[in-house]
Amino acid sequence: MTGVARIVFMGTPEFAVPCLHTLIETQQVVGVVTQPDKPAGRGNKLRPSPVKVVAEAAGIPVYQPRSLKKEEATAPLREWQPDIIVVAAFGQILRPHVLYLPPLGSLNVHASLLPRWRGASPIQHAILAGDATTGVTLMRMDEGLDTGDMFVQESIAIEPRETTATLHDKLSLLGADMLRRHLGDILARRILPTQQDDATSTYAPMIRKEAGQIDWRRTTVALDRLVRAMTPWPGATTHWQGETLKVLKTRPTTGALPIDRPGLVVHVSEGVAVLSGDGGLLLEEIQLPGKRAMPTVDFVRGRPDFIGSVLGEDDMMANSRDIAPSA
């Protein structure tokens, strides 16, 4: 097709907002589907999704189904008569009666270089794995999990100190820019899709809250990636004196280390470090419950007993029991 397309946009979090803005500017967005409002804050007041806020400000109809599993739930989409559905981080698995409702099917803005990191958490897993690059894929959706044919991919470098927060923002803007530059050619069939190589695929399962718990017996490189991958959510955590300690910012230390005891907090020439399974990790910023985040060197001035303590000792003992062979 040529000209402006009638588009239903499906998305929920901040990642999807630049894509929606681009479509509003360049196409005809006839409706937006997003997740239901969720309670948030101390008062548990219902909070709309970032996508809903943008859609309502633009005067676009919004539909918030709890589920699209049943075909009758798609009635509003049929009434909007879209040419194509564009999806970016919607948050529900879509069935064929949704995917193939428009004549041009459904297109997904996926935050990885498919077939690497199919699944719900590609940004975090790219950092955890130490990938040098990642990117965005515009793909045709099918019934599989991110298995559809690909229209176009573009890559960016993952910087050495990259966090999920910083990489998320870069990929969000890249996805929106790719829609601006390529969607017209996709609609006009000037860009033809290519199949993914299933043999090289990797899977990025949803990150759970417990994924941020630190085991100081791991390597320094793995721990540093964990902290960066879990920023901002769910956060990397350990335990100190019975309290959950958030580890907000780290980097590998190059200084000499006194002994080999994972979890031990020590002074080094560069600041405050925790011993790992093969070296040490500088703690640059930490936070206790109900307290503000602060540089670790400032925290130690008020709590000198932090030096010489062992972080997460009970966690590591519990993990050892979990993996020990039964008698």
Side-chain angles (χ1 to χ4, degrees):
M1 74 176 285
T2 59
V4 174
R6 291 175 59 85
I7 290 179
V8 165
F9 181 75
M10 303 180 72
T12 299
E14 287 289 347
F15 180 87
V17 166
C19 291
L20 178 54
H21 279 304
T22 291
L23 294 175
I24 291 172
E25 294 167 5
T26 60
Q27 303 291 334
Q28 182 184 2
V29 181
V30 296
V32 164
V33 185
T34 190
Q35 296 280 50
D37 297 356
K38 292 185 177 180
R42 292 184 178 179
N44 278 332
K45 293 183 179 179
L46 291 178
R47 179 179 297 173
S49 73
V51 162
K52 180 181 179 180
V53 172
V54 172
E56 289 188 333
I60 299 170
V62 175
Y63 178 40
Q64 296 179 271
R66 294 196 176 277
S67 172
L68 287 167
K69 289 182 179 179
K70 296 183 178 180
E71 193 163 355
E72 53 264 32
T74 63
L77 281 72
R78 292 194 298 271
E79 291 176 4
W80 289 331
Q81 298 182 331
D83 297 311
I84 190 171
I85 293 173
V86 176
V87 182
F90 173 53
Q92 293 184 28
I93 294 176
L94 301 179
R95 304 295 178 89
H97 59 261
V98 176
L99 297 175
Y100 307 127
L101 184 151
L104 298 178
S106 300
L107 180 145
N108 185 35
V109 181
H110 185 76
S112 83
L113 298 174
L114 292 171
R116 188 161 178 80
W117 302 131
R118 295 171 175 173
S121 304
I123 300 175
Q124 292 95 329
H125 282 277
I127 294 175
L128 284 171
D131 290 357
T133 60
T134 186
V136 171
T137 304
L138 302 184
M139 57 165 290
R140 174 185 287 161
M141 300 181 72
D142 61 15
E143 294 98 317
L145 182 62
D146 300 322
T147 56
D149 294 345
M150 305 177 295
F151 289 106
V152 63
Q153 290 185 323
E154 294 186 12
S155 64
I156 61 172
I158 299 179
E159 300 298 331
R161 307 311 306 153
E162 199 87 71
T163 68
T164 289
T166 60
L167 189 54
H168 166 283
D169 291 351
K170 292 176 183 179
L171 294 175
S172 175
L173 294 175
L174 176 60
D177 187 50
M178 289 171 64
L179 283 177
R180 184 184 303 276
R181 291 183 283 113
H182 299 301
L183 183 57
D185 288 334
I186 292 171
L187 294 172
R189 294 183 171 86
R190 289 188 291 268
I191 295 178
L192 299 178
T194 59
Q195 289 186 338
Q196 297 187 40
D197 180 3
D198 292 340
T200 63
S201 68
T202 57
Y203 177 53
M206 183 177 294
I207 295 292
R208 306 291 182 182
K209 187 173 183 179
E210 56 269 21
Q213 182 173 302
I214 296 172
D215 185 338
W216 295 105
R217 294 169 298 185
R218 299 180 67 189
T219 67
T220 298
V221 168
L223 291 171
D224 182 56
R225 290 174 183 170
L226 177 73
V227 173
R228 292 185 288 111
M230 299 300 139
T231 300
W233 192 91
T237 60
T238 188
H239 286 93
W240 179 65
Q241 295 189 355
E243 292 191 284
T244 298
L245 180 73
K246 285 187 177 181
V247 178
L248 303 176
K249 191 176 179 182
T250 61
R251 60 186 171 92
T253 179
T254 58
L257 300 170
I259 60 172
D260 177 15
R261 187 180 179 185
L264 179 67
V265 182
V266 297
H267 268 306
V268 294
S269 59
E270 301 154 280
V272 178
V274 184
L275 302 187
S276 67
D278 68 345
L281 191 69
L282 282 173
L283 293 185
E284 295 187 318
E285 189 175 358
I286 59 176
Q287 184 178 19
L288 283 172
K291 306 294 184 180
R292 65 181 179 86
M294 65 170 56
T296 309
V297 290
D298 293 343
F299 177 79
V300 169
R301 291 191 186 102
R303 295 299 305 266
D305 56 329
F306 189 62
I307 302 296
S309 63
V310 179
L311 302 183
E313 190 167 30
D314 291 341
D315 298 330
M316 290 187 286
M317 290 177 62
N319 288 340
S320 295
R321 289 194 297 270
D322 289 342
I323 63 176
S326 57

